[in-house]
Amino acid sequence: MKVKALVLEKVRELSLREIDLSLDVGPDDVKIKIDTVGVCGSDVHYYTHGRIADFIVKAPMVLGHEAAGTIVEVGAHVKTLKVGDRVCMEPGVPDLSSRASKLGLYNVDPNVVFWATPPVHGVLTPHVVHPAAFTFKLPDNVSFAEGAMVEPFAVGLQASVKAQIKPGDTAVVTGAGPIGVMTALAALASGCSRVIVSDLVDDKLAIAGRYAGVSTVNVRTGSLDQAVSAATDSWGADVVFEASGSPRAYEGIHALARPGGCLVAIGMPVEPVKLDISAFAAREIRIETVFRYANVFDRALAMIASGKVDLKPLISETFPFEQSIAAFERAAEGRPKDVKLQIRL
Amino acid sequence: MKVKALVLEKVRELSLREIDLSLDVGPDDVKIKIDTVGVCGSDVHYYTHGRIADFIVKAPMVLGHEAAGTIVEVGAHVKTLKVGDRVCMEPGVPDLSSRASKLGLYNVDPNVVFWATPPVHGVLTPHVVHPAAFTFKLPDNVSFAEGAMVEPFAVGLQASVKAQIKPGDTAVVTGAGPIGVMTALAALASGCSRVIVSDLVDDKLAIAGRYAGVSTVNVRTGSLDQAVSAATDSWGADVVFEASGSPRAYEGIHALARPGGCLVAIGMPVEPVKLDISAFAAREIRIETVFRYANVFDRALAMIASGKVDLKPLISETFPFEQSIAAFERAAEGRPKDVKLQIRL
Amino acid sequence: MKVKALVLEKVRELSLREIDLSLDVGPDDVKIKIDTVGVCGSDVHYYTHGRIADFIVKAPMVLGHEAAGTIVEVGAHVKTLKVGDRVCMEPGVPDLSSRASKLGLYNVDPNVVFWATPPVHGVLTPHVVHPAAFTFKLPDNVSFAEGAMVEPFAVGLQASVKAQIKPGDTAVVTGAGPIGVMTALAALASGCSRVIVSDLVDDKLAIAGRYAGVSTVNVRTGSLDQAVSAATDSWGADVVFEASGSPRAYEGIHALARPGGCLVAIGMPVEPVKLDISAFAAREIRIETVFRYANVFDRALAMIASGKVDLKPLISETFPFEQSIAAFERAAEGRPKDVKLQIRL
Amino acid sequence: MKVKALVLEKVRELSLREIDLSLDVGPDDVKIKIDTVGVCGSDVHYYTHGRIADFIVKAPMVLGHEAAGTIVEVGAHVKTLKVGDRVCMEPGVPDLSSRASKLGLYNVDPNVVFWATPPVHGVLTPHVVHPAAFTFKLPDNVSFAEGAMVEPFAVGLQASVKAQIKPGDTAVVTGAGPIGVMTALAALASGCSRVIVSDLVDDKLAIAGRYAGVSTVNVRTGSLDQAVSAATDSWGADVVFEASGSPRAYEGIHALARPGGCLVAIGMPVEPVKLDISAFAAREIRIETVFRYANVFDRALAMIASGKVDLKPLISETFPFEQSIAAFERAAEGRPKDVKLQIRL
């Protein structure tokens, strides 16, 4: 069926045009009228580079995977949702009968189908069909804009779950981009008593530093090592979240963690990084890795609804659907004060 | 050496008098000038009943184990603390070379020596000697009064650690006494998005209910089952903390927890309770038990200092040392609006 | 379609007769020619009592849920299995899109459909259709008879997983029935260095005691407490598996576990049991419960194939399909030397 | 007092001579008459290189830290051991009151004092004094030679504990040196159904391959990737133990682990290794590191005593104390068929 959508034609070429998409509602599906879609770094990267790792844009593809909207139709078997429900959607759909899914690790099922990951279309289009099992009702006090923030926040939350945060932990987050800030907020809401965020850019750090419990270090001018040591009586941080994806962030990163502590690798370095395994071993530091998220959308919504996490200050600007291309151009600029740009349909 | 102290002579008889206590400072010890001591339910129980389980008051015993003060002397080997440091103390001292202690489970070392547990003296006396390893420096923004609250809060924190709270969990706390309220606050600060507290007494529930994230149910007039079901879309609570110690609280308690959820038994029923094991099994609910705490005092202080937990509203009244007996009489009354009474030396 | 089956008509009345069963193969299903079916205590209980808890036999029902056979047809989407594969089947099929299933806890999905649990038919019939996701290929060196033992062994394995056994643990198993023996074997293969099994019947204990690593205590004549204390230098067992379902087994059971140890409740007492919560708490003993199993069939097969577990000695006798009723009558006798009776089709 | 000992004078120079050592027995200590000492790779490395990382031999040092013997004297407070007890010793002694020790992580206490690690003397001398808390009674059926194998086996066991092995897991061990073989045996005894061991040397693989459950791959001639894939239906190993310490072993190592699997780094590479973090993340693989061991000596002894682990075939040759230097020269040769050389006093 012909519908309007923001289409990535090829590298550096976007169109807001009609495209043919299926909108058939299966028995376990719901159909959602999209309200808000966030612009993600991966969307922008497909726009500017045409690929991420082995995922290559070979044909026109609709962008967008951070979305919230309203249910307008439900499949025959759907009992948990109804027409009119305000919802947000988990954009990856696994094969629920796979070995990984049965273990509860559906995010690492090799057959996950994920919005706006070639060749799968995204959701910058007025309507989308999605399995009810991956569609989550927004609490009344959570807006569509916040609902569309759940997806990036879920990455930080997954990292916090992997870290097995204990109440009162001290955490470090290296990298104050959107995911770094989300991770800091997730860590605080998950029990950390404080988080030290590092970056090279003051404007980014300023945004993170406005939250209670966050202190910041610009590693151009200050020492993260010293900040952690001072904050922890030389014991080290319980958890270090690496959220920059920069190979340089890994240099000496083991020294930030306490004996028996944990490093969570969230950023995705484009090439192998050097790790001093023996130095990690000397403190028996555990390294966790994160691939998207599983089973955290409901948790994210509960935390937003309860006020434990306030993501609204991270929405830097909202564009109308008609100006989607402008939104992407702005995102591609990478302004340091921009955290999240959103598009309203 | 003769020092003044609040002495429990025998059941129902307290004296504020001189008593002979050792104040020798060993090489790993510190000597603390006591500032504030909280009155705990167990202190009161020894006063009113002369025993708790197999611990029987057979000789005059100094009461008090929730304490904060200032270091006035340090042993020869002590490096982590110095004279003048404001501190609070973990009242149980294990044999650190025991099998349990080496495992990190020093609280269940059978040889723990615990203040104000017969025949060990407590700390309602101007000075006390304690191992540096169980003495914790107060952050600058944590008062002595708050420092003396760390001990009861640590019980709630231990319960939260045992529950392995995940961010966004919904918890139930049955029992709104001091430990129930502390547990609710610990659970929220540990990542729960909300806590439902139940009790039979409105005045107690009102105190808990003043905290953000806490809702309350008076089970005389309302249904805790229905409240949990409504709050969780009939899924159940992730964690149920039983903090009343009442055998009746265990009736049907399995129904409050979600499939794969957890019950943490904090209250200490005086006799065996009936548990419907098959009903617990039908949802594979895990039951954790709590005995005091281990390795959480530093975590508690970090959470208080960061503002994640505010215990000050729970300090109902402070008595001067000279009125210690009056403090105990008031505590023995069990006024519903009293959470914690403290004594200042 | 009309097929032959062992049908429980009502309490105490079995027929081997034709019955109408659907054998449609869906796209994700396989069709299996049944070779061997074990007789389970629950099958026998439906035969003798007509119900288990709230599951009541109201209409004729085919019995049997411990089964192995050969695939004779595969659905259109099935890629992991093919015609001719020798397999065993996990008898419970959850809604894979449920909240519990997505968490990896599909066994506690309230909508599980389980063979031979009213009103669902079992598999004492020549053919059965089952989802490929719950059908497991037998390694070449695992016989059909062993394949049909995987289901009861899986219960023991689930208990071992829940116990989080650490290498070198000492375990206790109370109850030497089929599940108790399976649990003891699972515990040993999961890392326990030794298991102490208790029962009231010497013939049962003799069967368990033939396995290396198992010692036995008849609690009519000996003290389990003393045996555990002697074996562990008074420290206690790391894990206690309660596999009798008898309320009496719970009396003083906390005393068997070490500080920080674990009780796993496997047996299903028909009414609530008394637990001394305060005694459990004094050692911070954790209680795990078990409901069937999840994600362990492949593990069980790997252990049988590698020779870590030998279940063959537990197959007491095999009956031809034509003598199914005799098999059930024999099972209902409860001969102490019978562990598992099987039926070959 | 003057005692005979095997002394490393400086790089490449050993003497069997008198040296002045303290043998004072403190109240919590025992004095042990040494029977057997194993020669460890680290002993040999100090002999051949004079240093390991930042630990530099600057003064004559007694070698040896894998030891078993008989208690000949006990300190005043020792209750768990008595004269005549046959024992083995855990060679690292932490500060039990440190933050790490209280957490149960005493192996990562920065103040651990470890035998034969400069400037601390080892135990190739007739008597040694050691804390009772780190001295373990040998079961009657465990020989001194086996007792002296507990220390290296403990490293493999620590790795297994860190891996959180689940029953039926498939493991890979890269590197068939002494620690690699010990790790394979520990993994099997901890619940793995099978272990695939890889190395470059057939003689080493042959030793590992004699154990049931172990298959081997010589990566000069075969593909470890293919072996793992074939053994696991392309799912991957649950746990990969890297026991070679070779940076080359890390190339592509992520591909050996299943989604949600684990890599345990046991070998200590002398310089940083390259890790493809994004590839690890794509399967959410966890990386654990190992530093010696904590709380596993008793577990190792239980496993040896029960027959779950047979270390005797790994003792390649035993030298008398008088030929200690010859033993070290032989060890320095690195004969591929030598696993463990021991010295009897």
Side-chain angles (χ1 to χ4, degrees), chain C residues 129-294:
Chain C
V129 171
H130 203 61
F134 292 92
T135 303
F136 298 85
K137 196 173 170 182
L138 301 181
D140 290 344
N141 65 346
V142 175
S143 67
F144 287 120
E146 290 173 286
M149 293 292 272
V150 167
E151 200 275 345
F153 180 65
V155 176
L157 205 47
Q158 178 82 353
S160 284
V161 171
K162 286 295 186 114
Q164 296 172 41
I165 288 172
K166 285 193 175 177
D169 271 358
T170 296
V172 169
V173 177
T174 55
I179 293 297
V181 176
M182 301 276 188
T183 299
L185 300 186
L188 286 167
S190 300
C192 283
S193 57
R194 58 188 167 175
V195 179
I196 302 169
V197 178
S198 70
D199 203 293
L200 299 162
V201 179
D202 281 335
D203 278 342
K204 293 185 177 183
L205 290 170
I207 293 164
R210 281 201 294 261
Y211 284 93
V214 173
S215 62
T216 61
V217 176
N218 188 323
V219 291
R220 281 197 198 284
T221 52
S223 161
L224 181 54
D225 260 320
Q226 285 174 20
V228 171
S229 189
T232 63
D233 279 330
S234 307
W235 172 242
D238 299 284
V239 184
V240 179
F241 296 100
E242 203 305 291
S244 75
S246 160
R248 289 199 49 194
Y250 281 91
E251 290 171 17
I253 199 167
H254 59 269
L256 302 173
R258 68 162 171 90
C262 174
L263 167 67
V264 185
I266 309 171
M268 291 285 205
V270 292
E271 52 188 54
V273 303
K274 285 189 173 180
L275 279 191
D276 186 345
I277 292 287
S278 299
F280 277 84
R283 299 185 182 201
E284 273 195 354
I285 297 167
R286 183 177 102 249
I287 305 175
E288 296 277 355
T289 59
V290 170
F291 190 66
R292 295 168 180 160
Y293 34 70

Side-chain angles (χ1 to χ4, degrees), chain C residues 157 161 166-169 188-193 299 302-303 306 308, chain D residues 157 161 166-169 188-193 299 302-303 306 308:
Chain C
L157 205 47
V161 171
K166 285 193 175 177
D169 271 358
L188 286 167
S190 300
C192 283
S193 57
R299 297 179 171 283
M303 294 167 94
S306 73
K308 287 192 78 117
Chain D
L157 203 48
V161 171
K166 284 193 177 177
D169 271 358
L188 285 166
S190 301
C192 282
S193 58
R299 297 181 169 282
M303 293 167 95
S306 73
K308 287 191 78 117

Side-chain angles (χ1 to χ4, degrees), chain C residues 34-44 63-69 87-92 114-116 122-124 144-155 178-179 182 293 297 314-315 328 339-345:
Chain C
I34 297 290
D35 180 279
T36 301
V37 179
V39 178
C40 174
S42 71
D43 294 311
V44 176
L63 289 173
H65 64 267
E66 306 176 352
V87 295
C88 68
M89 289 78 78
E90 189 170 343
F114 200 93
W115 284 342
V123 297
L124 272 161
F144 287 120
E146 290 173 286
M149 293 292 272
V150 167
E151 200 275 345
F153 180 65
V155 176
I179 293 297
M182 301 276 188
Y293 34 70
F297 264 57
L314 304 181
I315 302 170
F328 270 77
V339 182
K340 179 57 64 181
L341 305 179
Q342 290 189 330
I343 296 170
R344 271 207 85 186
L345 278 86

